[in-house]
Amino acid sequence: MQVQDNQVISNVLTPRGSGRPPYRAVQIGAKNISRRKAHIGMRGHFARAKVPCKQFVKEFEVSEDAHLPLGMKLSAFHFVPGQYVDIRATTMGKGFQGVMRRWNFSGGTASHGNSLAHRIPGSTGQHQDPGRVWPGKKMPGRMGGKWRTMPNLYVIRVDTHLNLIFVKGNVPGPDDGRTPVYITDAKKKLQSEAIRLQLKSGGQGDWVTLDASGKPLPPGKNNPQQAQVTVPNIGLGRGIVGLPFPAGTVAMAKRYAPILVAPSTRVTSPWVGGDGA
């Protein structure tokens, strides 16, 4: 995936009621286009940020200290090899499909008295009671073309010269160069790793915090039930010390090698025997 002409368009700050924290977000634009092709309502929006007109604009929710200056150019270096990311895009449209392709139905028999019923869905309801088809019934219809998220994809390589990001796994959407793909840090991976590093002890419901080596720490002085420590590298990936903060810019990428490769995910070597010989 290529990070093409990504720049900061706007910083959003919207107050919320009921004592909730305000909504903070950063608008990112990608792929430069001519002014005549841009929507007339968006031309002034790009002019205020002093950036060229963009074909795609996406808003990402951020923390208070992650707002970026307008016009800042972002690079593929924003994502570090070895970390996990979530990728969102619109899946490939397959058109109107039957139940065998859309829902993986087995279909009818090929012979033994079957006539013109090889790929039909079969019965779709019951008798007079309930006298209708239940909502959500798997039937023929449009397949694909839906918003989908692929979570926890492993970043294996980053090319800062061509602004390319290589991930291990399936990326939704057609490979046509026109469908935008949105990449964020893996949300579920961070949450699961944070919970994994806090284990219940003795079945009493008390939470203990583990250190970097995975050993439980003694309770703190102020809080006897939990030790207040900071565990580094929570859910970032193997060999990841930290991430570019607040963002991986083009200027920051020039200080590193053009191609960055993630460490191997293998725990053991395939060339070493089971007995350690």
Side-chain angles (χ1 to χ4, degrees), residues 33-85:
I33 58 176
S34 62
R35 180 179 173 83
R36 65 180 182 83
K37 293 184 178 180
H39 192 277
I40 190 172
M42 293 294 295
R43 295 176 185 176
H45 193 56
F46 296 129
R48 282 190 295 270
K50 298 181 180 180
V51 299
C53 295
K54 305 291 183 178
Q55 183 175 357
F56 307 106
V57 177
K58 179 65 175 179
E59 188 171 294
F60 298 92
E61 187 173 0
V62 297
S63 58
E64 182 179 359
D65 53 353
H67 286 287
L68 304 175
L70 300 184
M72 174 181 285
K73 297 182 179 180
L74 302 180
S75 169
F77 185 72
H78 183 77
F79 298 99
V80 179
Q83 77 168 114
Y84 293 89
V85 296

Coordinates of all heavy atoms in Angstrom, one line a residue, residues 33-85:
I33 N -5.2 16.4 -6.6 CA -5.9 16.5 -7.8 C -6.0 18.0 -8.2 O -5.6 18.9 -7.3 CB -7.4 16.0 -7.6 CG1 -8.1 16.7 -6.5 CG2 -7.4 14.5 -7.4 CD1 -9.5 16.3 -6.3
S34 N -6.4 18.3 -9.4 CA -6.5 19.6 -9.8 C -7.7 20.3 -9.1 O -8.6 19.7 -8.6 CB -6.7 19.7 -11.3 OG -7.9 19.0 -11.7
R35 N -7.7 21.6 -9.1 CA -8.7 22.4 -8.4 C -10.1 22.2 -9.0 O -11.1 22.2 -8.3 CB -8.3 23.9 -8.4 CG -9.3 24.8 -7.7 CD -8.9 26.2 -7.6 NE -9.9 27.1 -7.1 CZ -10.1 27.3 -5.8 NH1 -9.4 26.8 -4.9 NH2 -11.1 28.2 -5.4
R36 N -10.1 22.1 -10.3 CA -11.4 22.0 -11.0 C -12.1 20.6 -10.7 O -13.3 20.5 -10.8 CB -11.2 22.1 -12.5 CG -10.4 21.0 -13.2 CD -10.3 21.2 -14.7 NE -9.5 20.2 -15.3 CZ -10.1 19.0 -15.7 NH1 -11.4 18.8 -15.5 NH2 -9.3 18.1 -16.3
K37 N -11.3 19.6 -10.3 CA -11.9 18.3 -10.0 C -12.4 18.2 -8.5 O -13.1 17.3 -8.2 CB -10.9 17.2 -10.2 CG -10.6 17.0 -11.7 CD -9.7 15.8 -11.9 CE -9.4 15.6 -13.4 NZ -8.4 14.4 -13.6
A38 N -12.0 19.2 -7.7 CA -12.3 19.2 -6.3 C -13.8 19.7 -6.1 O -14.2 20.6 -6.9 CB -11.4 20.0 -5.4
H39 N -14.4 19.2 -5.1 CA -15.8 19.8 -4.8 C -15.7 21.2 -4.4 O -14.8 21.6 -3.7 CB -16.4 19.0 -3.6 CG -17.8 19.2 -3.4 ND1 -18.3 20.3 -2.7 CD2 -18.9 18.5 -3.9 CE1 -19.6 20.2 -2.7 NE2 -20.0 19.2 -3.4
I40 N -16.6 22.0 -4.9 CA -16.6 23.5 -4.7 C -16.6 23.8 -3.2 O -16.1 24.8 -2.7 CB -17.7 24.2 -5.5 CG1 -17.5 25.7 -5.5 CG2 -19.1 23.8 -4.9 CD1 -18.4 26.4 -6.4
G41 N -17.3 23.0 -2.4 CA -17.3 23.2 -1.0 C -16.1 22.9 -0.2 O -15.9 23.3 0.9
M42 N -15.2 22.1 -0.9 CA -13.9 21.7 -0.2 C -12.7 22.6 -0.7 O -11.7 22.5 -0.1 CB -13.6 20.2 -0.5 CG -14.6 19.3 0.1 SD -14.5 19.2 1.9 CE -12.9 18.6 2.1
R43 N -12.9 23.4 -1.7 CA -11.8 24.2 -2.2 C -11.3 25.2 -1.1 O -10.1 25.4 -0.9 CB -12.2 24.9 -3.4 CG -12.5 24.0 -4.6 CD -13.0 24.8 -5.8 NE -13.4 23.9 -6.9 CZ -13.9 24.3 -8.1 NH1 -14.1 25.6 -8.3 NH2 -14.2 23.4 -9.0
G44 N -12.2 25.8 -0.4 CA -11.8 26.8 0.6 C -11.2 26.0 1.8 O -10.4 26.6 2.5
H45 N -11.7 24.8 2.1 CA -11.2 24.0 3.2 C -9.7 23.7 2.9 O -8.8 23.8 3.8 CB -12.0 22.7 3.3 CG -11.7 22.0 4.6 ND1 -11.9 22.5 5.8 CD2 -11.3 20.7 4.8 CE1 -11.6 21.6 6.7 NE2 -11.2 20.5 6.1
F46 N -9.3 23.4 1.7 CA -7.9 23.1 1.3 C -7.1 24.4 1.3 O -6.0 24.4 1.7 CB -7.9 22.4 0.0 CG -8.5 21.1 0.0 CD1 -9.4 20.7 -1.0 CD2 -8.2 20.1 0.9 CE1 -10.0 19.5 -1.1 CE2 -8.8 18.8 0.9 CZ -9.7 18.5 -0.1
A47 N -7.7 25.5 0.9 CA -7.0 26.8 0.8 C -6.6 27.3 2.2 O -5.6 27.8 2.4 CB -7.9 27.8 0.1
R48 N -7.5 27.1 3.2 CA -7.2 27.5 4.6 C -6.0 26.7 5.1 O -5.2 27.3 5.9 CB -8.4 27.3 5.5 CG -9.5 28.4 5.3 CD -10.5 28.3 6.4 NE -11.3 27.1 6.3 CZ -12.4 26.9 5.6 NH1 -12.9 28.0 4.9 NH2 -13.0 25.8 5.6
A49 N -5.9 25.5 4.7 CA -4.7 24.7 5.2 C -3.5 24.9 4.3 O -2.4 24.4 4.7 CB -5.1 23.2 5.2
K50 N -3.6 25.6 3.2 CA -2.5 25.9 2.3 C -1.9 24.6 1.7 O -0.7 24.4 1.7 CB -1.4 26.7 3.0 CG -1.9 28.1 3.4 CD -0.8 28.9 4.0 CE -1.3 30.3 4.5 NZ -0.3 31.1 5.1
V51 N -2.8 23.7 1.3 CA -2.4 22.4 0.7 C -3.1 22.3 -0.6 O -4.1 22.9 -0.8 CB -2.7 21.2 1.7 CG1 -2.0 21.4 3.0 CG2 -4.2 21.1 1.9
P52 N -2.6 21.5 -1.5 CA -3.3 21.2 -2.8 C -4.6 20.5 -2.5 O -4.8 19.9 -1.5 CB -2.3 20.3 -3.6 CG -1.0 20.5 -2.9 CD -1.2 20.8 -1.5
C53 N -5.5 20.5 -3.5 CA -6.7 19.8 -3.4 C -6.5 18.3 -3.3 O -5.7 17.8 -4.1 CB -7.7 20.2 -4.5 SG -8.2 22.0 -4.5
K54 N -7.2 17.6 -2.5 CA -7.1 16.2 -2.3 C -8.3 15.4 -2.8 O -9.4 16.0 -2.7 CB -6.8 15.9 -0.8 CG -5.7 16.6 -0.2 CD -4.3 16.2 -0.8 CE -3.2 16.9 -0.1 NZ -1.9 16.4 -0.6
Q55 N -8.1 14.2 -3.3 CA -9.2 13.4 -3.7 C -9.9 12.7 -2.5 O -11.1 12.5 -2.5 CB -8.7 12.3 -4.7 CG -9.8 11.5 -5.3 CD -9.3 10.5 -6.3 OE1 -8.1 10.5 -6.7 NE2 -10.2 9.7 -6.8
F56 N -9.1 12.3 -1.5 CA -9.7 11.6 -0.4 C -9.4 12.4 0.9 O -8.3 12.9 1.1 CB -9.1 10.2 -0.2 CG -9.3 9.4 -1.5 CD1 -8.2 9.1 -2.3 CD2 -10.5 8.9 -1.9 CE1 -8.3 8.4 -3.4 CE2 -10.6 8.2 -3.0 CZ -9.5 7.9 -3.8
V57 N -10.4 12.5 1.8 CA -10.2 13.2 3.1 C -10.8 12.3 4.1 O -12.0 11.8 4.0 CB -10.9 14.6 3.1 CG1 -10.8 15.2 4.5 CG2 -10.3 15.5 2.1
K58 N -10.1 12.0 5.2 CA -10.5 11.1 6.2 C -10.2 11.7 7.6 O -9.1 12.3 7.7 CB -9.8 9.7 6.1 CG -10.2 8.7 7.2 CD -11.6 8.3 7.1 CE -12.0 7.2 8.1 NZ -13.4 6.8 8.1
E59 N -11.1 11.5 8.5 CA -10.9 12.0 9.9 C -10.6 10.9 10.9 O -11.3 9.9 10.9 CB -12.2 12.7 10.3 CG -12.1 13.5 11.6 CD -13.3 14.4 11.9 OE1 -13.5 15.3 11.1 OE2 -14.0 14.1 12.8
F60 N -9.5 11.1 11.6 CA -9.0 10.1 12.6 C -9.1 10.7 14.0 O -8.5 11.8 14.2 CB -7.6 9.6 12.3 CG -7.5 8.9 11.0 CD1 -7.1 9.7 9.8 CD2 -7.6 7.6 10.8 CE1 -7.0 9.1 8.6 CE2 -7.5 7.0 9.6 CZ -7.2 7.7 8.5
E61 N -9.7 10.0 14.9 CA -9.8 10.5 16.3 C -8.4 10.3 17.0 O -7.8 9.2 16.9 CB -10.9 9.7 17.1 CG -11.1 10.3 18.4 CD -12.3 9.6 19.1 OE1 -12.9 8.8 18.5 OE2 -12.6 10.0 20.3
V62 N -8.0 11.3 17.7 CA -6.6 11.3 18.3 C -6.8 11.8 19.7 O -7.8 12.2 20.2 CB -5.6 12.1 17.5 CG1 -5.4 11.6 16.1 CG2 -6.1 13.6 17.5
S63 N -5.7 11.7 20.5 CA -5.6 12.2 21.8 C -5.3 13.7 21.8 O -5.1 14.3 20.8 CB -4.6 11.4 22.7 OG -3.3 11.5 22.1
E64 N -5.3 14.3 23.0 CA -5.1 15.7 23.1 C -3.7 16.2 22.6 O -3.6 17.2 22.1 CB -5.3 16.1 24.6 CG -5.2 17.6 24.8 CD -5.4 18.0 26.3 OE1 -5.7 17.1 27.1 OE2 -5.3 19.2 26.6
D65 N -2.7 15.4 22.8 CA -1.3 15.7 22.5 C -0.9 15.3 21.1 O 0.3 15.3 20.7 CB -0.3 15.2 23.5 CG -0.5 13.7 23.7 OD1 -1.5 13.1 23.2 OD2 0.3 13.1 24.5
A66 N -1.9 14.8 20.3 CA -1.5 14.2 18.9 C -2.0 15.1 17.8 O -2.0 14.7 16.7 CB -2.1 12.8 18.8
H67 N -2.4 16.4 18.1 CA -2.8 17.3 17.0 C -1.5 17.7 16.2 O -0.5 17.9 16.8 CB -3.5 18.5 17.6 CG -4.9 18.2 18.0 ND1 -5.9 18.0 17.1 CD2 -5.5 18.1 19.2 CE1 -7.1 17.8 17.8 NE2 -6.8 17.8 19.1
L68 N -1.7 17.9 14.9 CA -0.6 18.1 14.1 C -0.7 19.5 13.4 O -1.8 20.0 13.2 CB -0.5 17.0 13.0 CG -0.4 15.6 13.5 CD1 -0.4 14.6 12.4 CD2 0.9 15.4 14.3
P69 N 0.4 20.1 13.0 CA 0.3 21.4 12.3 C -0.3 21.2 10.9 O -0.2 20.2 10.3 CB 1.8 21.9 12.2 CG 2.5 21.1 13.2 CD 1.8 19.8 13.4
L70 N -1.0 22.2 10.4 CA -1.7 22.1 9.1 C -0.6 22.1 8.0 O 0.4 22.8 8.1 CB -2.6 23.3 8.9 CG -3.8 23.5 9.9 CD1 -4.6 24.7 9.5 CD2 -4.6 22.2 10.0
G71 N -0.9 21.2 7.1 CA 0.0 21.1 5.9 C 1.2 20.1 6.2 O 2.0 19.9 5.2
M72 N 1.3 19.5 7.3 CA 2.4 18.6 7.6 C 2.3 17.4 6.7 O 1.2 16.8 6.5 CB 2.4 18.1 9.0 CG 3.4 17.1 9.4 SD 3.4 16.5 11.1 CE 4.2 18.0 11.9
K73 N 3.4 17.0 6.1 CA 3.4 15.8 5.2 C 3.7 14.6 5.9 O 4.7 14.5 6.6 CB 4.4 16.1 4.0 CG 4.1 17.2 3.1 CD 5.2 17.4 2.0 CE 4.9 18.6 1.1 NZ 5.9 18.7 0.0
L74 N 2.9 13.6 5.8 CA 3.1 12.3 6.5 C 3.7 11.3 5.5 O 3.5 11.3 4.3 CB 1.7 11.8 7.0 CG 1.0 12.7 7.9 CD1 -0.3 12.1 8.4 CD2 1.8 13.1 9.1
S75 N 4.5 10.4 6.1 CA 5.2 9.4 5.4 C 4.8 8.0 5.8 O 4.1 7.8 6.8 CB 6.7 9.6 5.6 OG 7.4 8.5 5.1
A76 N 5.2 7.0 5.0 CA 4.9 5.6 5.4 C 5.7 5.2 6.7 O 5.3 4.2 7.3 CB 5.3 4.7 4.3
F77 N 6.6 6.1 7.1 CA 7.4 5.8 8.3 C 6.5 6.0 9.5 O 7.0 5.7 10.7 CB 8.6 6.8 8.3 CG 9.5 6.6 9.5 CD1 10.3 5.5 9.6 CD2 9.5 7.5 10.5 CE1 11.2 5.3 10.6 CE2 10.4 7.3 11.6 CZ 11.2 6.2 11.7
H78 N 5.3 6.5 9.4 CA 4.4 6.6 10.5 C 4.1 5.3 11.2 O 3.8 5.2 12.4 CB 3.1 7.3 10.1 CG 2.1 7.5 11.2 ND1 2.3 8.6 12.1 CD2 1.0 6.9 11.6 CE1 1.3 8.6 12.9 NE2 0.5 7.5 12.7
F79 N 4.2 4.2 10.4 CA 4.0 2.8 10.9 C 5.4 2.1 10.8 O 6.0 2.1 9.8 CB 3.0 2.1 10.0 CG 1.6 2.7 10.1 CD1 1.2 3.5 9.0 CD2 0.8 2.5 11.2 CE1 -0.1 4.1 9.1 CE2 -0.5 3.1 11.2 CZ -0.9 3.9 10.2
V80 N 5.7 1.5 12.0 CA 7.0 0.9 12.2 C 6.9 -0.6 11.8 O 6.0 -1.2 12.3 CB 7.5 1.1 13.6 CG1 8.8 0.5 13.8 CG2 7.6 2.6 13.9
P81 N 7.9 -1.1 11.1 CA 7.9 -2.6 10.9 C 7.9 -3.3 12.2 O 8.7 -3.1 13.1 CB 9.2 -2.8 10.1 CG 9.4 -1.5 9.4 CD 9.0 -0.4 10.4
G82 N 7.0 -4.3 12.3 CA 6.9 -5.1 13.5 C 5.7 -4.8 14.3 O 5.3 -5.6 15.2
Q83 N 5.0 -3.7 14.1 CA 3.8 -3.4 14.8 C 2.6 -4.0 14.1 O 2.6 -4.4 13.0 CB 3.6 -1.9 15.0 CG 3.2 -1.1 13.7 CD 2.7 0.3 14.0 OE1 3.4 1.2 13.6 NE2 1.7 0.4 14.8
Y84 N 1.5 -3.9 14.8 CA 0.2 -4.4 14.3 C -0.7 -3.3 14.0 O -0.8 -2.3 14.7 CB -0.5 -5.4 15.3 CG 0.3 -6.7 15.5 CD1 1.3 -6.7 16.5 CD2 0.1 -7.8 14.7 CE1 2.0 -7.9 16.7 CE2 0.8 -8.9 14.9 CZ 1.7 -9.0 15.9 OH 2.4 -10.2 16.1
V85 N -1.5 -3.4 12.8 CA -2.3 -2.3 12.4 C -3.7 -2.9 12.0 O -3.8 -4.1 11.8 CB -1.7 -1.5 11.2 CG1 -0.4 -0.8 11.6 CG2 -1.5 -2.5 10.0

